[in-house]
Amino acid sequence: MESEDAIPPEKLVEDLKLSEEQSYSLQSECDNVHTPRIGEGDSPSADLEAREDDDLFHDCNDSFESKVTGENHNCEVDSSENQTELDEKYLLELQKDMSEEEKQKRRDESTKLKEEGNEQFKRREYEEAEDSYSKALEVCPACCSTDRSVLYSNRAAARMKQDKKEVAIGDCSKALELNPDYIKALLRRAELYEKTEKLDEALEDYKNVLEKDPSVHQAREACLRLPRQIEERNEKLKKEMLGKLKDLGNFVLRPFGLSTDNFQVKQDSSTGSYSINFVQNNNR
């Protein structure tokens, strides 16, 4: 039997309805507060430092824990990773008729949860911080894109500390979808890409950072270092591929008493084309 105090779904939907003009006004208000992008006349480095309490960032050497504690870390996935979060555009459409009062109430609650997460992060309670940021995202109005971008980036930092690289990359990408000029999210994702051996993607993000703020030392250093690492990786992959092809060729030729050593590949220096010559092996 249903409770007499139960609220029918229709009532819940009706409580969310208001005009689109009111939704737009809060959108403007949200996006003009704490925007983590570089303003005209502002020092880029000073802007990054000024937002430290609100938006966490850590250098490459300190972003990951040296050891992941807990025997069951690799076996048990945190529940927040399993949650299916709605697409931002879809969420915005769902909340377009939400009252201004409700939006402000949710935004205040989200800010409080974010501050709790920041304090937990400072105490190295990274799992608890991740949970606080996730809860903040659940209540933060979709129209407050700047706030949500910071929350995604902060949750990525908490997940980085727990060595949850892939989901942290996803959070950084969501933060950048909401704010493409978000330097800290770009740096986080570049660092994560590098940690997961996605060197080409990391270099692209570091270059993007330098375009937005040439003073970021971490990005400058990475742009000098990564091209050489990418070249070395490609050479290694090339050798591995040629080795596998040679093994395959020997397997095919063995029944005929031949091997890849019986075939000599030469490159024409003038045309760049290759020729293959058969070499008789007289050793028995």
Side-chain angles (χ1 to χ4, degrees):
M1 180 179 294
E2 296 184 358
S3 170
E4 295 181 357
D5 296 330
I7 301 175
E10 295 81 0
K11 178 61 177 175
L12 292 174
V13 174
E14 291 176 1
D15 290 341
L16 295 177
K17 292 186 176 180
L18 257 191
S19 67
E20 293 187 11
E21 294 182 359
Q22 291 174 318
S23 176
Y24 177 78
S25 65
L26 186 64
Q27 167 74 52
S28 301
E29 177 187 351
C30 292
D31 289 344
N32 287 329
V33 179
H34 300 310
T35 303
R37 64 174 66 188
I38 303 171
E40 295 182 3
D42 292 337
S43 168
S45 299
D47 180 69
L48 291 176
E49 294 172 2
R51 296 207 28 85
E52 192 68 28
D53 290 338
D54 222 20
D55 179 13
L56 308 165
F57 186 76
H58 304 273
D59 289 334
C60 191
N61 294 332
D62 189 44
S63 290
F64 292 85
E65 290 295 286
S66 57
K67 294 182 180 179
V68 181
T69 58
E71 296 180 358
N72 297 326
H73 173 75
N74 293 326
C75 300
E76 297 180 2
V77 180
D78 189 89
S79 60
S80 60
E81 292 183 40
N82 290 328
Q83 294 176 355
T84 302
E85 292 171 333
L86 296 177
D87 177 77
E88 292 295 315
K89 291 182 179 180
Y90 180 65
L91 192 60
L92 187 63
E93 181 66 21
L94 284 179
Q95 297 179 1
K96 67 179 182 179
D97 294 327
M98 184 182 293
S99 69
E100 297 300 309
E101 182 181 359
E102 177 65 18
K103 287 177 182 178
Q104 189 59 52
K105 179 182 177 181
R106 288 190 175 206
R107 190 184 183 196
D108 292 342
E109 184 180 353
S110 173
T111 300
K112 182 179 179 181
L113 285 166
K114 181 187 70 176
E115 292 171 353
E116 289 178 7
N118 289 351
E119 291 301 317
Q120 290 164 334
F121 192 99
K122 291 175 183 177
R123 295 194 299 268
R124 301 192 176 189
E125 299 170 356
Y126 304 122
E127 186 174 349
E128 291 79 1
E130 176 188 354
D131 186 57
S132 293
Y133 296 136
S134 295
K135 290 178 179 177
L137 280 165
E138 289 177 8
V139 297
C140 185
C143 66
C144 298
S145 57
T146 298
D147 291 359
R148 294 184 64 81
S149 181
V150 170
L151 286 169
Y152 277 123
S153 185
N154 282 9
R155 189 171 69 175
R159 286 175 165 177
M160 287 169 72
K161 284 292 188 177
Q162 299 173 76
D163 207 30
K164 299 176 180 178
K165 301 182 186 72
E166 294 300 332
V167 287
I169 288 174
D171 277 347
C172 290
S173 296
K174 289 177 181 177
L176 290 166
E177 287 175 11
L178 292 168
N179 184 2
D181 293 328
Y182 199 168
I183 292 178
K184 292 184 181 181
L186 265 176
L187 278 171
R188 282 202 183 103
R189 191 172 69 175
E191 183 181 341
L192 284 159
Y193 277 146
E194 189 172 354
K195 291 288 185 180
T196 53
E197 301 298 324
K198 298 175 182 177
L199 303 184
D200 300 278
E201 292 88 341
L203 180 59
E204 187 65 27
D205 274 357
Y206 281 127
K207 286 180 178 179
N208 201 352
V209 169
L210 283 183
E211 289 178 2
K212 301 177 186 304
D213 183 1
S215 70
V216 180
H217 173 75
Q218 182 182 348
R220 287 204 313 273
E221 185 272 334
C223 287
L224 293 173
R225 168 175 48 80
L226 285 178
R228 182 174 62 255
Q229 289 182 229
I230 291 173
E231 184 178 353
E232 291 173 354
R233 178 206 62 189
N234 291 343
E235 282 299 318
K236 181 180 178 181
L237 291 173
K238 179 180 176 182
K239 289 180 180 179
E240 290 177 354
M241 180 185 68
L242 290 175
K244 290 179 180 179
L245 287 174
K246 185 175 181 179
D247 291 341
L248 177 61
N250 287 332
F251 176 77
V252 173
L253 294 169
R254 190 175 299 119
F256 302 97
L258 300 172
S259 72
T260 54
D261 293 333
N262 292 111
F263 298 89
Q264 188 178 53
V265 180
K266 290 185 177 181
Q267 183 179 19
D268 190 322
S269 58
S270 60
T271 63
S273 60
Y274 290 88
S275 62
I276 301 176
N277 299 319
F278 178 75
V279 179
Q280 181 67 46
N281 189 348
N282 295 320
N283 294 330
R284 296 183 182 274

